[in-house]
Amino acid sequence: MAATAVRTYQLYINGEWTDATGGRTFAVHNPATREPIAEVADGGAAEAEAAVRAAHEAFPAWSKRPADERAELLHKTFDLLKARVEEHARILTEENGKPLAESKGEATIGAGFVRWNAEEARRAYGEVVPSPAAGKRVLTFRQPVGVVAAMTPWNFPYSMITRKIAPALAAGCTVVLRPSSATPLVALEIVRAFDDAGFPPGVVNIVTSRSAGEVADVFATSGLVRKITFTGSTEVGKELMAKAAGTVKKVSLELGGHAPMLVFDDADLEAAAQGAIASRFRNAGQTCICTNRLYVQRPLVDRFSARVAELARELKVGNGLDGDTKVGPLIDERGFAKVEDHVRDAVAGGATVLAGGKPAELDGDLRGYFYEPTILANVAADAKILHDETFGPALPIVPFDSEEEAIRLANDTPFGLAAYCFTRDVGRAFRVSEGLDYGIVGVNDPLPTAPQIPFGGYKESGLGRENGSMGIEEFLEVKAVTIGL
Ligand code: NAD
């Protein structure tokens, strides 16, 4: 395969593409080959402050633009993003490693978040409230919160961005964005589309940086920023929440998960097996709503596990740019080491390896961190893989006896992002969905995400919701106005 040319990217602050102070840059690597693919400006606190100032200065005019005009610019951006899906998908695969088909899916849904919020911009209604007194009238206005700082991870480098910045802009907020330094390229291309669509200077700004903490400190402590929206690990989310407390900012957090999937004896077993594979191995298992634990009703566990293992063995591991690849590399050495550790720990505790169980040995010049799709049975209750987010292609299977036990096991975690259940009994579908302490429950559905579906977690998986009709709410304040007649 021909080597990819190394591209260069600048920061985008106040409508200008600019270098970082002193021309500092950092390299971005393709995780499949570990080859450098781009040099990106390395901003720090000074650039973060300049971006916040630009967003602050742009806010009064942007927030006063009629919703129709904001919607129009977002629709224009959607058209540009849609026309660039193929180009963006390739960049996404080059920097993240996921199979090209998944990248196209992410770019398509990610552009869809922009269209959805263009539509929502026109619907941020206030209310006329029944008055408590004859001589008084009461209204509520919905107003944008102010400057929004968005910070995003590497596992969905496109869609995590558009589902934050599109509702913020729709609401009338201005935005400063810092994407993960592992995957800043598609983020920069998204910002280019906003620029091409004609957003005014300062309304959207991006500061790429290797110094996550330095930039986050500016965002979280600046008195000019009124809202932090973050997707990433629970650990970093807690830190940001604590830092944002100093200026009592609004905070939305989309954090880690540890999704259970429950398969009951009345399920469509083939759909459940395919669903478990789709959910666990998408993006090489590096998805916050990936199934981390598969609970199967005891009488079917052997037959069902054998089928899941067979499907896992059929998944082709390789470079995401190759058309038939189903599982790409882990993002980096740390991610790879965590998967190895979880599998080793489970096996040391008595687990049986039904598929995979080791690093993938690939032909050719792929030097990335590839791991075989792995299925484990007989996993001890205290194994790390049953409690800590693996973020990789390994799935433990655990038997259960009753519906109550399944719900108890599923809820036995500090996380509460997504959970899944396969059953054809409609009563059970309702009982289980209501009993699961999770923000998203997919019943006979391994892919419960779309622009119209609210997304967010219970417990330590986060605060607030993205998407759906409430996605824009996170960026609006409510003002009560009372009028004496
Ligand atoms: P991470 O928390 O390490 O990084 C997320 C972002 O925060 C990155 O941009 C990173 O550079 C930055 N960051 C790192 N350290 C920081 C610090 N001290 N202060 C401020 N920012 C810092 O997470 P990750 O490894 O990039 O992403 C994987 C995690 O994200 C997983 O836990 C996954 O479940 C979670 N995630 C959650 C959702 C969701 O919607 N709930 C979606 C995707 C990923």
Side-chain angles (χ1 to χ4, degrees):
M1 189 172 303
T4 315
V6 172
R7 296 179 289 264
T8 58
Y9 286 88
Q10 294 172 297
L11 313 171
Y12 181 75
I13 299 174
N14 205 21
E16 305 271 345
W17 292 98
T18 91
D19 288 332
T21 316
R24 282 190 321 261
T25 62
F26 63 92
V28 177
H29 296 87
N30 178 335
T33 60
R34 291 160 63 185
E35 301 284 343
I37 51 173
E39 279 293 323
V40 176
D42 188 12
E47 288 80 359
E49 277 162 16
V52 167
R53 242 186 343 268
H56 173 69
E57 280 160 20
F59 177 73
W62 178 247
S63 60
K64 287 187 184 67
R65 289 277 283 264
D68 272 6
E69 289 181 24
R70 294 199 300 267
E72 208 48 55
L73 279 171
L74 285 164
H75 275 299
K76 231 185 204 175
T77 312
F78 166 71
D79 291 341
L80 292 172
L81 292 172
K82 196 170 155 215
R84 297 173 190 176
V85 160
E86 298 281 331
E87 178 199 336
H88 289 170
R90 193 179 167 88
I91 293 171
L92 218 168
T93 290
E94 284 171 0
E95 64 180 342
N96 164 282
K98 68 177 65 177
L100 204 47
E102 289 187 25
S103 293
K104 281 186 200 162
E106 183 183 342
T108 304
I109 197 174
F113 294 153
V114 177
R115 177 169 58 182
W116 172 265
N117 284 291
E119 292 157 355
E120 290 300 287
R122 296 189 167 101
R123 294 179 183 64
Y125 300 117
E127 290 178 314
V128 178
V129 179
S131 174
K136 202 185 245 201
R137 296 293 180 269
V138 182
L139 315 170
T140 63
F141 297 166
R142 314 285 295 292
Q143 295 189 310
V145 293
V147 174
V148 171
M151 288 164 276
T152 52
W154 50 265
N155 64 340
F156 284 85
Y158 189 124
S159 57
M160 297 300 113
I161 288 174
T162 48
R163 74 187 194 182
K164 292 182 176 355
I165 67 180
L169 297 170
C173 299
T174 54
V175 174
V176 292
L177 166 69
R178 179 191 171 271
S180 166
S181 50
T183 56
L185 306 185
V186 88
L188 288 152
E189 295 296 346
I190 292 169
V191 169
R192 190 189 309 286
F194 280 97
D195 180 35
D196 291 347
F199 274 80
V203 172
V204 182
N205 307 273
I206 179 167
V207 179
T208 47
S209 172
R210 235 181 336 196
S211 313
E214 191 178 313
V215 172
D217 278 356
V218 172
F219 289 173
T221 58
S222 166
L224 302 182
V225 173
R226 289 314 316 151
K227 161 99 191 179
I228 295 281
T229 171
F230 170 78
T231 299
S233 60
T234 295
E235 193 189 353
V236 172
K238 286 178 182 175
E239 267 181 46
L240 285 173
M241 195 173 169
K243 283 183 190 155
T247 42
V248 196
K249 291 186 202 331
K250 285 184 173 293
V251 177
S252 292
L253 302 171
E254 297 286 355
L255 308 177
H258 203 273
M261 180 179 283
L262 314 182
V263 179
F264 289 92
D265 58 5
D266 55 40
D268 173 338
L269 292 189
E270 184 56 22
Q274 301 272 1
I277 293 288
S279 171
R280 171 72 282 185
F281 296 107
R282 187 156 72 107
N283 199 13
Q286 304 166 113
T287 303
C288 53
I289 58 168
C290 264
T291 294
N292 283 250
R293 304 168 275 152
L294 183 54
Y295 295 105
V296 181
Q297 204 148 10
R298 198 175 299 274
L300 15 134
V301 72
D302 289 343
R303 185 158 56 100
F304 187 77
S305 305
R307 178 63 183 143
V308 171
E310 184 181 23
L311 291 171
R313 281 192 293 269
E314 286 170 8
L315 296 171
K316 182 166 179 296
V317 180
N319 188 335
L321 292 176
D322 296 339
D324 52 352
T325 292
K326 293 287 186 281
V327 177
L330 276 308
I331 191 73
D332 57 19
E333 187 169 11
R334 204 171 119 233
F336 178 83
K338 189 167 190 193
V339 180
E340 276 208 302
D341 176 49
H342 278 196
V343 172
R344 245 193 246 122
D345 169 75
V347 170
T352 315
V353 177
L354 300 183
K358 58 183 193 319
E361 284 161 23
L362 302 178
D363 298 334
D365 57 357
L366 294 181
R367 296 191 306 121
Y369 300 99
F370 295 91
Y371 201 88
E372 289 185 354
T374 295
I375 306 294
L376 301 168
N378 305 313
V379 181
D382 63 350
K384 289 183 194 174
I385 198 166
L386 290 179
H387 303 279
D388 184 14
E389 194 178 26
T390 307
F391 237 53
L395 181 61
I397 301 182
V398 176
F400 67 86
D401 291 300
S402 67
E403 192 178 301
E404 294 69 29
E405 184 194 10
I407 293 173
R408 185 177 49 74
L409 288 168
N411 286 340
D412 183 19
T413 170
F415 297 111
L417 185 56
Y420 304 89
C421 152
F422 277 81
T423 176
R424 280 184 299 198
D425 176 333
V426 71
R428 172 168 276 160
F430 273 96
R431 284 193 304 277
V432 172
S433 326
E434 287 166 10
L436 289 168
D437 296 332
Y438 288 82
I440 303 160
V441 178
V443 179
N444 303 323
D445 179 11
L447 294 172
T449 52
Q452 46 275 77
I453 305 173
F455 191 103
Y458 284 17
K459 299 180 347 190
E460 294 191 21
S461 286
L463 283 180
R465 292 292 178 273
E466 294 187 325
N467 301 341
S469 59
M470 56 265 281
I472 194 168
E473 310 261 342
E474 304 283 338
F475 302 96
L476 291 166
E477 286 279 19
V478 175
K479 178 179 285 175
V481 178
T482 67
I483 304 172
L485 301 182

